[in-house]
Amino acid sequence: MEQSPARSSSVTVADVAREAGVSKATAARVLGGYGTVSAKVRDAVKAAASALDYRPNELARSMTTGRSGTIGVVVGDIENPFFSLAVRGITDVARLAGFNVILSNSGEDVAAEKAAIRTLVAKRVDGLIVSPAKEGDVEHLKDIERSGRPLALLDRSARSLNVDTVIADDRHAAESVTRLLIAQGHRRIAYVTACDTADHVFRTPEDIYTDSVRRRIEGHLGACREASLEGVEQWVCVGANRPEATRQIVMGMFRSTERPTAIIASDSVIGLEVFRVTRELGLILPDDLSLVSFHDADWTSVTSPPVTVVQQPVYQLGEAAARLLVGRLKGETGEGRRVVLDTRLIERASVGPAPSPAS
Amino acid sequence: MEQSPARSSSVTVADVAREAGVSKATAARVLGGYGTVSAKVRDAVKAAASALDYRPNELARSMTTGRSGTIGVVVGDIENPFFSLAVRGITDVARLAGFNVILSNSGEDVAAEKAAIRTLVAKRVDGLIVSPAKEGDVEHLKDIERSGRPLALLDRSARSLNVDTVIADDRHAAESVTRLLIAQGHRRIAYVTACDTADHVFRTPEDIYTDSVRRRIEGHLGACREASLEGVEQWVCVGANRPEATRQIVMGMFRSTERPTAIIASDSVIGLEVFRVTRELGLILPDDLSLVSFHDADWTSVTSPPVTVVQQPVYQLGEAAARLLVGRLKGETGEGRRVVLDTRLIERASVGPAPSPAS
DNA sequence: TTGAAAGCGTTACCAG
DNA sequence: CTGGTAACGCTTTCAA
């Protein structure tokens, strides 16, 4: 009982070394688990360390090694079940590989994304996983590349970046959805996305800066073209980035003379609000309207009727991105790899034949 | 055009100082935004900095200042909508106050929680927000206190710790729920929680180590006592920590001779699974069974019938915890404060009169 | 207002 | 196998 071990000021290797009667370098070797020391000395140092309740200062360690054991993650919105599940996949893999995760929310805003990345790089994270808000605006991502830190893209690719990328097979998924609807006789199929354009009107997929969504819309439009549908672009609705906006959009569609007979929701948050609104409007699914949503969110299976969805391997998306990044961190080199995970259409009861054009 | 600004090795204050023709100390003053420098020198340094594309090293900065501008957050499961929403509240407040968040998942496991906290402290986070998995096992939390770093508890208090704590009014909420059910004639009311006991059997609230849940069960049992119900302890089901376990529990209850007429789900993940199982069993809500869930998760309002829930101010819980912590970080001192936020019972159609005891 | 130099707690190199 | 010592990049006295 020399003194209370619980001192407020932190115990350093120097303290431990003194206590153990060895040099700072030797103490550092056993505490840091590198180099070689005799068993006797090691025990002495370990004893001293626990007696003093030594806690390594990772900050100092990172300073000299250049590695922080941390990976930075920037996503659009952690509150969105899509991202929280993906983040879970990331953190699980990261922890197993001995890395911590610093999480940042961009709110799908490029300026915030830029700031988040700047901070993360300043904190010297070892690598980053980003879900870029806008594919066109990725200069700040190139900065990461330049800084020598590995970067992996989650759910959204960026053509101008040669980095590891993990996405889902969005184009194919959207094609399947639209084909399904068309096969059921639907001709007026609305596609609702949170992405927005300058004038809140959709004209071509090039207007859409969020890569995953653009691919979906391309798939959707492709399937429409197959069926020789006309004027399909006007059925793509942008700007559903808050529940009220979604509500506005859906309400607007049903006030107009040409109502949609089917709606595709680009994510589950939108899908949920569409479901709510249609119910408020007294519409019966699938008789009055067919509904398909991206992301197999928990609620989609318990509604009446349950909602047909595109099941995305969200957790696996996160896992894969983390795995690629960890690989780089462990020294893998070479061109950016591109992983495309399969989606699956889960058909439930929210899709049915298009209502006869009696309206 | 002296040289390409995008060097891989990082630019330091010394480099900027040299470029600007001033001392390292002066450059550091303008770059760090402290001390006083003449306008002329400041401009020169800033020009040099941007010419060289200087990026501060937060690690080095933290080393000397002792502050890292980071707060550590340890929650049970980021995938649970409850926590992801609370985390959103935390990160929003933190960012506004200039702090980053390092997120860790404990998986409700004390060992993992301990490891996470150790790492976070080693990384010299400025403060921590923790949702302790078990109230009884909080020695590692006391370590935080001892290290001089502020700690705030989220959703779960720990009597033995004198720290800022933000919880919801769980006891009162549970009381209201149970009273409501009893008023509707229910006598066999099951309470299902993810918390577990050593032998997977509930006897007294002392068996429950998760503070928020214990308070709820106390409230529930209290209301039962008011109504002189007997043998209510046997209706508290523990161990519903995975969907399959929940399924198991609910199935078991309905196979037995004494079926419950009402179920209270201790969180929305359990509530969802209960809903699924009852539907599979062909039970009609609320005719055959009444259901109430804690947490106003998105799905609860779109089911048929929609589910009566205890609305917890989840986002605000996170906000409040972060605010208290940031306050400490800015120098506030004194005893640990305790914030109790109100809950609200949202009555929907999943609750009805108890079925007549014809079974 | 500016500069020189001493830390912060590690790791890493180089002798012994 | 061990010890001395120089980094790492920044902040912070203390003088000038």
Side-chain angles (χ1 to χ4, degrees):
Chain A
M1 300 289 172
E2 323 242 330
Q3 66 181 93
S4 167
R7 299 188 335 193
S8 175
S9 65
S10 49
V11 178
T12 74
V13 275
D15 299 323
V16 175
R18 198 177 318 115
E19 176 81 7
V22 298
S23 77
K24 205 173 63 166
T26 304
R29 271 188 276 261
V30 9
L31 263 17
Y34 58 92
T36 43
V37 279
S38 67
K40 195 163 70 180
V41 172
R42 174 168 35 244
D43 292 346
V45 172
K46 280 188 171 165
S50 69
L52 262 38
D53 191 33
Y54 166 76
R55 308 289 182 98
N57 183 333
E58 288 292 343
L59 246 40
R61 188 170 281 176
S62 302
M63 269 275 295
T64 54
T65 60
R67 280 164 278 115
S68 65
T70 307
I71 73 183
V73 175
V74 184
V75 295
D77 176 14
I78 185 59
E79 194 189 340
N80 184 320
F82 178 91
F83 284 121
S84 69
L85 188 50
V87 166
R88 183 70 203 273
I90 293 173
T91 55
D92 284 356
V93 170
R95 191 167 37 78
L96 249 50
F99 290 92
N100 281 102
V101 167
I102 301 191
L103 189 66
S104 276
N105 236 66
S106 74
E108 301 292 6
D109 174 54
V110 178
E113 179 178 304
K114 209 170 291 193
I117 289 174
R118 180 173 272 269
T119 314
L120 257 16
V121 171
K123 285 215 190 306
R124 297 300 192 260
V125 293
D126 294 334
L128 288 100
I129 296 179
V130 180
S131 219
K134 300 212 183 310
E135 161 169 1
D137 210 339
V138 289
E139 260 319 299
H140 50 300
L141 296 183
K142 289 188 180 164
D143 278 358
I144 300 176
E145 263 189 305
R146 265 183 233 124
S147 82
R149 266 167 262 277
L151 163 69
L153 261 33
L154 177 73
D155 184 52
R156 302 169 185 177
S157 63
R159 273 189 273 268
S160 55
L161 259 43
N162 177 27
V163 298
D164 292 338
T165 304
V166 181
I167 57 173
D169 188 5
D170 293 292
R171 185 192 316 261
H172 176 255
E175 259 172 29
S176 310
V177 168
T178 302
R179 282 191 191 134
L180 170 73
L181 292 170
I182 289 175
Q184 295 271 33
H186 293 276
R187 293 295 175 270
R188 296 194 301 277
I189 305 169
Y191 186 101
V192 185
T193 173
C195 298
D196 210 348
T197 63
D199 57 357
H200 313 297
V201 173
F202 175 87
R203 289 192 190 77
T204 98
E206 270 75 58
D207 295 344
I208 302 296
Y209 294 129
T210 302
D211 170 67
S212 54
V213 176
R214 176 161 25 70
R215 283 180 283 115
R216 289 176 200 169
I217 295 181
E218 285 169 353
H220 164 68
L221 294 178
C224 290
R225 229 172 288 125
E226 278 173 10
S228 308
L229 299 194
E230 307 218 331
V232 286
E233 280 78 7
Q234 75 187 59
W235 288 106
V236 176
C237 308
V238 297
N241 41 26
R242 285 161 311 135
E244 310 83 63
T246 304
R247 161 169 305 259
Q248 205 69 13
I249 287 168
V250 177
M251 290 288 200
M253 288 195 294
F254 280 93
R255 259 197 299 270
S256 100
T257 51
E258 277 232 308
R259 298 174 164 200
T261 63
I263 294 182
I264 304 173
S266 197
D267 70 51
S268 71
V269 178
I270 294 174
L272 180 62
E273 190 63 17
V274 171
F275 188 92
R276 285 204 170 105
V277 174
T278 57
R279 168 179 283 195
E280 267 177 47
L281 291 174
L283 299 170
I284 305 296
L285 270 51
D287 301 348
D288 300 323
L289 179 80
S290 288
L291 174 63
V292 182
S293 179
F294 273 79
H295 186 202
D296 184 21
D298 53 16
W299 64 268
T300 58
S301 63
V302 291
T303 49
S304 303
V307 177
T308 294
V309 295
V310 174
Q311 184 188 46
Q312 298 162 292
V314 185
Y315 181 86
Q316 291 82 345
L317 234 41
E319 273 188 328
R323 247 194 280 278
L324 288 179
L325 191 71
V326 167
R328 297 288 183 187
L329 260 16
K330 294 211 166 138
E332 288 172 15
T333 62
E335 294 295 294
R337 293 159 292 182
R338 191 180 176 86
V339 174
V340 181
L341 299 182
D342 285 342
T343 58
R344 196 163 66 84
L345 186 59
I346 301 184
E347 296 194 42
R348 295 201 273 240
S350 67
V351 171
S356 58
S359 88
Chain B
M1 302 286 174
E2 323 243 330
Q3 66 182 90
S4 167
R7 298 189 335 192
S8 174
S9 64
S10 48
V11 178
T12 73
V13 275
D15 299 324
V16 176
R18 198 177 318 115
E19 176 83 7
V22 299
S23 77
K24 207 173 60 166
T26 305
R29 273 189 272 261
V30 8
L31 263 17
Y34 55 93
T36 44
V37 279
S38 67
K40 194 163 71 179
V41 172
R42 174 169 34 246
D43 292 347
V45 171
K46 281 190 170 165
S50 68
L52 262 37
D53 192 31
Y54 166 77
R55 307 289 180 98
N57 184 333
E58 287 293 342
L59 245 39
R61 187 169 283 173
S62 302
M63 269 276 293
T64 54
T65 59
R67 281 164 277 114
S68 65
T70 307
I71 73 183
V73 175
V74 183
V75 295
D77 176 13
I78 186 59
E79 195 189 337
N80 185 319
F82 178 90
F83 284 122
S84 68
L85 188 50
V87 166
R88 182 70 202 274
I90 293 173
T91 55
D92 284 356
V93 170
R95 191 167 38 77
L96 249 49
F99 290 92
N100 280 102
V101 166
I102 302 191
L103 189 67
S104 277
N105 236 65
S106 75
E108 301 292 6
D109 173 55
V110 178
E113 180 178 304
K114 208 171 291 192
I117 290 174
R118 180 173 272 269
T119 315
L120 258 16
V121 171
K123 284 214 193 305
R124 298 297 192 263
V125 293
D126 293 335
L128 288 99
I129 296 179
V130 180
S131 217
K134 301 211 184 310
E135 162 171 0
D137 210 340
V138 289
E139 260 319 299
H140 50 301
L141 296 183
K142 288 187 181 164
D143 278 0
I144 300 175
E145 264 190 305
R146 263 183 235 127
S147 82
R149 265 166 263 277
L151 164 69
L153 262 31
L154 177 72
D155 184 51
R156 303 169 185 176
S157 64
R159 274 189 273 268
S160 55
L161 261 43
N162 177 27
V163 298
D164 292 338
T165 304
V166 181
I167 57 173
D169 188 4
D170 294 291
R171 185 191 317 261
H172 177 256
E175 259 172 29
S176 311
V177 168
T178 301
R179 281 191 191 134
L180 171 73
L181 292 170
I182 288 175
Q184 295 270 32
H186 294 276
R187 293 296 174 268
R188 297 194 299 278
I189 305 169
Y191 186 101
V192 184
T193 173
C195 298
D196 210 346
T197 62
D199 58 356
H200 314 298
V201 174
F202 174 87
R203 289 191 191 77
T204 99
E206 270 76 55
D207 295 344
I208 301 295
Y209 294 130
T210 301
D211 171 67
S212 53
V213 175
R214 177 161 25 68
R215 284 180 282 114
R216 288 176 201 170
I217 294 181
E218 285 170 353
H220 164 66
L221 294 178
C224 290
R225 229 172 286 124
E226 279 174 9
S228 308
L229 299 193
E230 306 219 331
V232 286
E233 279 79 6
Q234 75 186 60
W235 287 106
V236 177
C237 308
V238 297
N241 40 28
R242 285 160 313 135
E244 309 85 61
T246 304
R247 162 170 304 260
Q248 207 66 15
I249 287 168
V250 177
M251 289 289 199
M253 288 195 293
F254 279 94
R255 261 197 298 269
S256 100
T257 51
E258 276 231 308
R259 297 174 165 199
T261 64
I263 294 181
I264 304 173
S266 198
D267 70 51
S268 71
V269 178
I270 294 175
L272 180 62
E273 191 62 16
V274 171
F275 188 91
R276 285 204 170 107
V277 174
T278 58
R279 168 180 284 195
E280 267 177 46
L281 291 172
L283 298 170
I284 306 296
L285 271 51
D287 301 346
D288 301 322
L289 179 80
S290 286
L291 175 62
V292 182
S293 179
F294 274 79
H295 186 202
D296 183 23
D298 53 16
W299 65 268
T300 58
S301 64
V302 290
T303 51
S304 303
V307 177
T308 294
V309 295
V310 174
Q311 184 186 48
Q312 298 162 292
V314 184
Y315 182 86
Q316 291 82 347
L317 234 41
E319 273 188 329
R323 248 194 281 277
L324 289 180
L325 191 71
V326 167
R328 297 289 183 186
L329 260 15
K330 294 209 167 137
E332 287 171 17
T333 63
E335 294 294 295
R337 293 159 292 182
R338 192 179 175 85
V339 174
V340 181
L341 298 183
D342 286 341
T343 58
R344 196 163 67 84
L345 186 59
I346 302 185
E347 296 195 42
R348 295 202 271 240
S350 67
V351 171
S356 56
S359 87

